[in-house]
Amino acid sequence: MSKGAAAAGVKCRNKKGSIFVIDCSKSIEDKIMEIASLEKFLQERIKVGGKAGALGDSVTVTRDKNKIIVTTDSAFSKRYLKYLTKKYLKKNVVRDWLRVIASNKDRNVYELRYFNIADQEGEEED
């Protein structure tokens, strides 16, 4: 196997036809952010074919109560979705309180959780 073929094999690791979910239930219940603005942000920023906002038929972004569902027909990186979510949190000045974590139950689900500030304060006192 040549080096070019090995490098191409690494690029093809992304799943085709995937469904990713961002669970925003904790932050929505506390009214820290609006789910509609996150949905709009993702629709405007996801790049397909090198162009942002041109989702076409290959990527759909929908919301269901407290969850954002991203469905793709083509290769799509889960890490890219995490990057965009973190960028949204930073833009809306809530990145200091929320973090994006993969769910323990299902690996195609990201959750927005609060940092454990109380635990960190307890460690500093020791």
Side-chain angles (χ1 to χ4, degrees), residues 1 20 25 29 34 38 48 55 61 71 80 86-90 96 109-110 116:
M1 200 185 238
F20 301 104
S25 57
E29 289 172 1
E34 295 180 18
L38 176 58
V48 176
L55 300 180
V61 180
T71 308
Y80 180 58
K86 288 169 74 172
K87 194 170 184 174
Y88 169 81
L89 294 175
K90 184 72 172 178
D96 295 334
V109 177
Y110 276 123
N116 293 331

Side-chain angles (χ1 to χ4, degrees), residues 13-29:
R13 291 175 64 190
N14 295 341
K15 300 175 187 172
K16 292 191 176 190
S18 301
I19 297 174
F20 301 104
V21 178
I22 303 172
D23 185 7
C24 309
S25 57
K26 294 179 183 177
S27 57
I28 299 295
E29 289 172 1

Side-chain angles (χ1 to χ4, degrees), residues 27-28 30-34 37-38 85-100 112-115 117:
S27 57
I28 299 295
D30 294 339
K31 298 180 181 176
I32 289 182
M33 58 178 265
E34 295 180 18
S37 63
L38 176 58
T85 307
K86 288 169 74 172
K87 194 170 184 174
Y88 169 81
L89 294 175
K90 184 72 172 178
K91 180 183 173 190
N92 290 316
V93 195
V94 291
R95 179 77 179 102
D96 295 334
W97 296 284
L98 294 173
R99 60 185 177 165
V100 184
L112 296 181
R113 291 188 187 172
Y114 290 104
F115 282 110
I117 297 172

